[in-house]
Amino acid sequence: RDFASCAGTLLHPDVIRAIADPKAEPYRFPAEVKPYLHQIEAWEHLTAEERRSVLVSSGTGSGKTECFLMPLLHDLATEAKTAGRLSGVRALALYPLNALIASQEERLRAWTAPFGGKIRFGLYNGLTPERLRATDKVQPEQAQDRKTLRNDPPPILVTNVTMLEYMTVRRVDRPLIENSRGKLRWIILDEAHGYVGSAAAEIALLIRRVLLTFGVSADQVRFVATSATIGGGTDVTEDLRRFLRDLSGA
């Protein structure tokens, strides 16, 4: 199957148009390009009416980001079609390093820009400024400062574990939580193999706190974990399921 044949079935037509837009280079996917089989399988699970959680274990450069980002955009595009411009966090994407957070910025900008501000994203880490300067260029598809993140949260929020923990306890971040309460329905864990031992226990407890803080339960959220190294060998399917269940509470 090519991307064009996924329009209206697996992925919203507006998503297909956004990723095929020539302005999306170098993240453009022309309509005639064929996705990997594991990407299509992930989309089938993550666009199903029944909420499902997915762990993607695949080699570096094999398109793990597309496995969750395209169905996430499908979900948001479907909502925006009737609700218009979206405000409030629907998706939390957790990355272990600021460099990995920054690497997603260009891709997210390329794929959300065609929605004209209806679908936005924000990066929240220690480098995020409190307010934009007068000389900064405003990007309608991105919440670029902390003031905007709090008062008008974007539906996609990319952050790290430390900042997410701050969000749940800091008074200054309460508007972000209050303006997103009951709306969270995606939690994405990149580089999931890093969550072992005490780190796994900490993230598992943090996820449960986040669910309580945002006013949702685990069965209302799609969890996606990705890794290039977890799950090698044979007969690991049940081990992987147990890993994601234990980590997320799903």
Side-chain angles (χ1 to χ4, degrees), residues 14-204:
D14 289 348
V15 175
I16 300 296
R17 283 192 285 270
I19 65 175
D21 191 323
K23 296 179 182 178
E25 292 289 1
Y27 303 103
R28 179 175 182 249
F29 285 84
E32 66 273 12
V33 168
K34 294 183 178 181
Y36 289 120
L37 178 60
H38 65 274
Q39 292 174 333
I40 291 178
E41 289 176 345
W43 301 344
E44 288 172 343
H45 286 299
L46 293 174
T47 59
E49 184 174 347
E50 172 194 6
R51 293 188 189 273
R52 301 174 184 174
S53 294
V54 169
L55 193 150
V56 181
S57 177
S58 184
T60 301
S62 60
K64 291 187 292 298
T65 298
E66 288 81 1
C67 286
F68 65 81
L69 188 51
M70 289 184 181
L72 168 57
L73 290 174
H74 162 87
D75 182 24
L76 298 177
T78 301
E79 182 183 5
K81 196 73 174 179
T82 56
R85 182 181 182 275
L86 303 180
S87 183
V89 176
R90 272 75 164 170
L92 285 170
L94 299 181
Y95 288 82
L97 301 171
N98 281 342
L100 293 174
I101 293 175
S103 72
Q104 294 301 322
E105 183 174 7
E106 289 186 9
R107 185 199 305 262
L108 283 165
R109 179 170 290 119
W111 289 0
T112 57
F115 291 94
K118 289 184 178 181
I119 298 176
R120 297 170 298 131
F121 72 97
L123 311 181
Y124 198 7
N125 58 23
L127 303 176
T128 306
E130 189 65 32
R131 296 171 181 263
L132 282 184
R133 297 168 299 184
T135 55
D136 290 331
K137 181 181 179 181
V138 176
Q139 306 283 354
E141 66 274 7
Q142 182 177 3
Q144 296 168 272
D145 59 18
R146 299 187 185 204
K147 180 183 178 183
T148 305
L149 287 172
R150 292 165 183 153
N151 297 332
D152 184 17
I156 303 173
L157 185 60
V158 183
T159 187
N160 55 48
V161 170
T162 301
M163 193 61 71
L164 181 59
E165 187 161 20
Y166 288 160
M167 257 186 270
T168 64
V169 297
R170 289 199 304 203
R171 183 181 298 273
V172 70
D173 285 326
R174 293 308 298 177
L176 189 157
I177 301 295
E178 294 300 329
N179 289 323
S180 304
R181 191 174 296 278
K183 298 177 181 179
L184 181 67
R185 54 180 185 259
W186 292 78
I187 294 180
I188 296 150
L189 305 168
D190 190 57
E191 303 291 330
H193 58 269
Y195 300 122
V196 296
S198 60
E202 289 173 7
I203 188 67

Side-chain angles (χ1 to χ4, degrees), residues 221-237:
V221 175
R222 288 182 171 94
F223 293 90
V224 184
T226 69
S227 174
T229 60
I230 197 170
T234 58
D235 299 326
V236 297
T237 302

